[in-house]
Amino acid sequence: MYSRHPLPKQNAQMPEDSDEIDLIQVLETIWRGKWIVAACTLLGCIAAMVYVDGIAVPRYQATAKILIEPNAANVVDLNSVISGAGADDVDINTQLEIVRSPAMLERLVMSERLYEDPEFNAFLREESFWSLSGAIGALHGLFSGAGHPQAEQTRDAAVQAAIDSVSRSLNLQAQQRTLLFDIRFTTETREKSVRLANELARIYIDEQVNTKFQAVDYAVNWLSERVSELGAEMRMKEDQLQALNGDSELVSAEALAALNLQARNLSERLDRDEEALQAARQRFERAAEYRSQGDAVGLVAFLDDPALRRAVREAGGDPLSDQAVQQRVERLFADLNAAMQRQAANTAALRTSLDDLRNRIRQGAEKLEEFEALVREVEASRTMLETFTSRLKATSLQAGLQVADSRLISPARKALQVEPSGQRTIALYTLIGALLGIGFVLARQFYQQGYRTVQDVLEGTGHPVIGQVPVLPIKQRKQLVPYLVSKPTSAAAEAIRNLRTSISMQNLSHPPQVIALTSSVAGEGKTTIAVSLAMNYAKLGKRVLLLEGDIRRVTLGEYFEHDAAHNIVDVIREHVPLEDAVVFDEQLGADILFGRKTSENAADIFASGQLGPVLQAAREKYDHIIVDTPPVVIVPDAKLIAPYCDAIVYVVHWNRTDRREVSEGLRQLEGVDLNVSGVVLSQIDPEGMKRYGYGAYVTYGSEYYHN
């Protein structure tokens, strides 16, 4: 039976996660990539010089200064008609907005015909090859054989495009604590910048004068219309006043007062007559009451008529039945009724007279009020007419005498180049290049996917690194053994010796006899290390067997030119004796048990239980057995072979194998209770390590290695 002596797993204490940035580490990383940073900085500087000298179009800026005069005197002060510019910040900012308004810019575009200038009308501009649209047009012409088609541009569209471009080229700036502001134009030529700055200043000042002229003309026209309307209105009212004054029924205030006095007297008389009428009515009704009651005594006493009294005495017992008495009573009632009727007629006549008088008074008052109101309207119209006539004369004097509220105190005379700024552009591009270089160096360092150093592996996996094997300077796999034979003191050969020593020293009492090499994925160099390790053990005079456990790929045949009659599949399945299946290689100094591809699944072959007896037999014959197993993450073969081995060496391609793949492979092995003895960084690029700042191994090892 075979025996296993697994190497103890060395678990490293994983550092706690921290969000803090190690500034020293960052600076060291930047210093290690200083040549990359320097190259990027130099490229940025060269790009800036190329841009400034060959690509960028120079632009020149000219400045015209405008002074706002809020107290500019006019010949006639007409603040109510024409308002000038103020002196506060709001008014100054308002003037700046007026200058940059589309209407002002349109006048400049039309005055200078800027819509025909390619600088201000991109439609007329020939696209540069360096621009995106120019590159697209060139490619279109290259593949189609014709230029990129363009639609016709209307005049309105050209003018609007020029206005937009002029707006971007214009810069207005007010000077603090002054009434000055600058009109700055930036164009591609000095002369154009000067001309446009002065022309816009002239248009702005002319616009102020034209605005005042228009205001004066409007005021004169409006005042003329109002004067005409007021004159006609006053004449109409004077005619109405004259017609009313000639009315015979028009009374004066004194006559109206006399009529009011007469009305009061009539009213008093009417009150007395109404009282007398009421008394007569009551006397008649009282007499009628006595008569109806047959009260002769009361009736005689009430009427107090001597004739009636005498007739009553002569009548005797029932005086009211006497004919003479009745006749006298009828006579007296007729007199009372007649008196009452007369009094009623007098009262009605007096009331009619009073009503007529009051109507006369009301009509007279209305006409007098109308007359007085008309007099007031005529006076008001006359006053307003005189005021507007005076204002019209004053405004008419103002026409032709207007001055602007601003003036050009410093016209643009020269233009200075503002774009591109050579020193500023070079400094900016150089800084950007340096930052890009630093960013690249840091990104390469902190966003690496593979392992570069022993510390990286220890922190990332918790397993120690027991070997670091550089990339071998061979082009074909069959050159490996001859290279190791001819270069026994090369860096690669010394790295294999170090790996052999590390494996042996981990368990001095029971050195591992069966050593399995595996990896996460294919192409990480485990087969090369397996061959090299077998050769190294053989050089010590040990009996070594190199066993090809990766029967899915079968790559050992590319290292050795042997025509083996049997293989490991024959040994396991057909029970071919081990000594009949192995092949001895003189340069390697060890036996080789090749693999063979088969239609049967490789995992089923190794899981059959026949591999153990094979390895047990090999243990009895060989000092060391090196087993090349398939990648762990891809197939389960390694997990089936490793339990029969004393040590498991995990090979990781330097700076290439993804850390997640390494973690997954180690996790799968640990999941079936298989302890990895250590990790080997393979195919290390010495120059790459120097670029990443880990060059001590290469720099100081050159005195010991002879490659």
Side-chain angles (χ1 to χ4, degrees):
M1 295 296 294
Y2 65 92
S3 62
R4 290 182 59 201
H5 304 285
L7 294 178
K9 176 181 176 182
Q10 301 181 17
N11 293 325
Q13 184 67 27
M14 298 297 291
E16 296 183 357
D17 293 339
S18 175
D19 293 335
E20 297 181 0
I21 297 177
D22 189 344
L23 184 59
I24 300 300
Q25 182 180 0
V26 172
L27 294 178
E28 290 177 352
T29 301
I30 295 175
W31 176 251
R32 289 194 296 267
K34 57 184 177 294
W35 296 116
I36 295 177
V37 176
C40 293
T41 303
L42 180 60
L43 288 176
C45 182
I46 294 174
M49 290 187 291
V50 171
Y51 173 77
V52 170
D53 295 336
I55 299 177
V57 177
R59 293 176 64 82
Y60 306 92
Q61 187 179 87
T63 303
K65 291 186 178 295
I66 299 293
L67 171 64
I68 298 177
E69 298 179 302
N71 298 321
N74 291 317
V75 177
V76 179
D77 185 12
L78 292 176
N79 291 331
S80 61
V81 177
I82 304 169
S83 61
D88 58 5
D89 292 340
V90 174
D91 290 325
I92 293 177
N93 291 332
T94 301
Q95 297 304 311
L96 294 181
E97 292 300 323
I98 292 174
V99 174
R100 64 165 58 96
S101 65
M104 296 287 288
L105 299 183
E106 183 177 3
R107 290 187 57 185
L108 177 64
V109 168
M110 301 305 294
S111 173
E112 295 292 322
R113 302 180 68 86
L114 297 180
Y115 55 87
E116 298 178 354
D117 189 340
E119 180 180 354
F120 296 101
N121 186 357
F123 186 83
L124 305 176
R125 192 181 310 153
E126 293 185 1
E127 295 292 346
S128 171
F129 178 78
W130 300 103
S131 65
L132 178 61
S133 57
I136 293 175
L139 291 176
H140 184 274
L142 179 63
F143 290 104
S144 64
H148 191 68
Q150 279 189 323
E152 294 293 333
Q153 185 185 41
T154 63
R155 180 186 176 91
D156 292 341
V159 172
Q160 185 60 48
I163 292 174
D164 295 338
S165 181
V166 168
S167 177
R168 292 189 294 269
S169 300
L170 173 64
N171 180 24
L172 302 177
Q173 184 173 2
Q175 300 185 13
Q176 295 184 352
R177 301 182 182 275
T178 68
L179 299 178
L180 297 172
F181 69 87
D182 297 338
I183 298 178
R184 298 175 179 175
F185 252 104
T186 304
T187 69
E188 296 176 359
T189 62
R190 300 179 188 272
E191 181 274 332
K192 188 188 298 183
S193 298
V194 172
R195 187 177 75 252
L196 293 182
N198 291 333
E199 180 64 16
L200 184 58
R202 182 193 66 77
I203 291 174
Y204 166 65
I205 295 174
D206 289 347
E207 181 65 20
Q208 285 190 334
V209 176
N210 292 335
T211 301
K212 290 192 174 185
F213 278 144
Q214 293 174 3
V216 170
D217 290 340
Y218 176 79
V220 169
N221 294 333
W222 185 81
L223 289 173
S224 298
E225 293 177 359
R226 291 299 298 155
V227 167
S228 299
E229 293 175 358
L230 289 173
E233 183 179 353
M234 189 186 69
R235 287 191 295 271
M236 180 185 66
K237 291 181 179 180
E238 286 179 344
D239 293 340
Q240 293 176 356
L241 182 62
Q242 185 176 2
L244 189 59
N245 194 22
D247 191 351
S248 59
E249 296 181 0
L250 182 64
V251 295
S252 62
E254 293 78 5
L256 189 60
L259 291 175
N260 283 326
L261 180 59
Q262 184 179 355
R264 283 198 299 272
N265 292 334
L266 285 176
S267 179
E268 292 174 359
R269 286 178 58 191
L270 179 60
D271 292 341
R272 290 194 296 273
D273 285 355
E274 287 180 347
E275 291 177 1
L277 176 61
Q278 182 67 21
R281 186 178 289 110
Q282 290 177 355
R283 184 176 178 77
F284 180 81
E285 291 175 353
R286 184 69 180 274
E289 182 180 357
Y290 281 121
R291 183 180 179 184
S292 62
Q293 294 177 356
D295 188 1
V297 177
L299 180 62
V300 171
F302 180 75
L303 293 178
D304 193 23
D305 181 63
L308 178 61
R309 189 176 293 113
R310 188 172 52 252
V312 169
R313 282 197 304 268
E314 292 176 356
D318 188 8
L320 294 180
S321 300
D322 185 72
Q323 184 176 4
V325 173
Q326 291 180 358
Q327 289 179 356
R328 188 57 187 172
V329 170
E330 292 293 340
R331 179 65 182 173
L332 289 174
F333 266 93
D335 291 340
L336 288 174
N337 186 48
M340 186 180 62
Q341 294 300 326
R342 284 194 304 273
Q343 186 63 41
N346 291 336
T347 301
L350 188 59
R351 183 179 291 108
T352 301
S353 299
L354 180 58
D355 291 340
D356 292 341
L357 183 58
R358 285 177 175 173
N359 287 333
R360 288 179 58 196
I361 292 172
R362 185 178 65 256
Q363 293 175 359
E366 292 176 356
K367 288 190 176 183
L368 181 60
E369 184 179 357
E370 181 182 358
F371 178 78
E372 291 177 349
L374 195 56
V375 169
R376 289 193 298 271
E377 290 180 2
V378 170
E379 291 300 325
S381 297
R382 181 176 292 108
T383 301
M384 190 177 296
L385 178 61
E386 291 175 354
T387 301
F388 274 85
T389 302
S390 175
R391 182 62 61 85
L392 176 60
K393 292 179 180 179
T395 305
S396 299
L397 292 176
Q398 186 76 6
L401 300 177
Q402 295 299 324
V403 295
D405 294 321
S406 305
R407 61 187 177 93
L408 180 63
I409 64 170
S410 178
R413 301 186 183 279
K414 61 180 181 179
L416 302 177
Q417 181 175 345
V418 294
E419 295 179 14
S421 176
Q423 295 180 350
R424 186 186 310 144
T425 303
I426 292 175
L428 178 62
Y429 275 59
T430 301
L431 177 61
I432 293 175
L435 293 177
L436 290 176
I438 293 173
F440 175 77
V441 171
L442 294 177
R444 186 185 62 175
Q445 173 65 25
F446 295 109
Y447 294 96
Q448 60 175 332
Q449 297 296 324
Y451 290 107
R452 293 174 182 164
T453 66
V454 172
Q455 187 66 23
D456 288 344
V457 176
L458 185 62
E459 293 177 355
T461 67
H463 292 277
V465 174
I466 60 176
Q468 301 179 70
V469 180
V471 61
L472 280 78
I474 59 176
K475 296 181 179 181
Q476 297 179 353
R477 291 176 176 178
K478 63 182 179 180
Q479 296 175 348
L480 171 62
V481 174
Y483 174 80
L484 294 177
V485 171
S486 62
K487 304 289 184 181
T489 58
S490 64
E494 293 295 341
I496 297 299
R497 291 189 185 94
N498 285 334
L499 173 61
R500 181 204 68 199
T501 303
S502 297
I503 295 174
S504 300
M505 295 290 289
Q506 284 188 0
N507 195 338
L508 295 176
S509 60
H510 298 285
Q513 185 179 5
V514 181
I515 303 170
L517 287 90
T518 188
S519 62
S520 301
V521 293
E524 299 197 55
K526 60 179 177 58
T527 304
T528 298
I529 294 177
V531 173
S532 304
L533 189 61
M535 180 177 178
N536 200 272
Y537 272 116
K539 293 298 182 182
L540 295 177
K542 302 291 184 178
R543 293 173 299 167
V544 180
L545 172 64
L546 177 60
L547 190 153
E548 185 172 19
D550 189 357
I551 61 175
R552 298 177 187 261
R553 295 183 65 199
V554 189
T555 57
L556 274 183
E558 299 179 14
Y559 291 86
F560 305 99
E561 296 181 353
H562 291 286
D563 187 11
H566 299 287
N567 51 71
I568 188 171
V569 177
D570 297 336
V571 173
I572 294 175
R573 283 304 192 195
E574 300 178 8
H575 305 288
V576 174
L578 184 62
E579 57 272 14
D580 294 338
V582 298
V583 176
F584 180 77
D585 187 85
E586 294 184 359
Q587 281 190 315
L588 182 66
D591 288 341
I592 304 172
L593 180 57
F594 289 96
R596 173 174 65 83
K597 289 184 179 181
T598 177
S599 59
E600 187 178 359
N601 186 274
D604 295 338
I605 294 175
F606 293 122
S608 64
Q610 298 300 317
L611 180 62
V614 172
L615 289 178
Q616 183 61 33
R619 286 175 181 272
E620 296 174 357
K621 185 176 181 180
Y622 297 98
D623 298 321
H624 296 284
I625 303 163
I626 310 300
V627 184
D628 179 25
T629 67
V632 177
V633 177
I634 299 176
V635 292
D637 302 5
K639 291 182 287 185
L640 297 172
I641 299 174
Y644 301 102
C645 303
D646 302 330
I648 302 173
V649 177
Y650 203 91
V651 179
V652 176
H653 194 304
W654 177 83
N655 198 35
R656 194 187 77 175
T657 307
D658 192 283
R659 297 187 180 205
R660 294 169 296 182
E661 295 175 345
V662 175
S663 299
E664 175 62 19
L666 293 173
R667 185 193 65 78
Q668 290 190 22
L669 291 175
E670 293 171 358
V672 293
D673 196 24
L674 293 173
N675 296 328
V676 174
S677 303
V679 176
V680 175
L681 285 176
S682 67
Q683 304 187 52
I684 297 175
D685 181 7
E687 294 301 323
M689 290 193 71
K690 292 176 65 176
R691 288 196 300 270
Y692 293 127
Y694 314 118
Y697 162 76
V698 178
T699 302
Y700 302 109
S702 60
E703 299 178 3
Y704 296 90
Y705 304 145
H706 302 283
N707 294 323

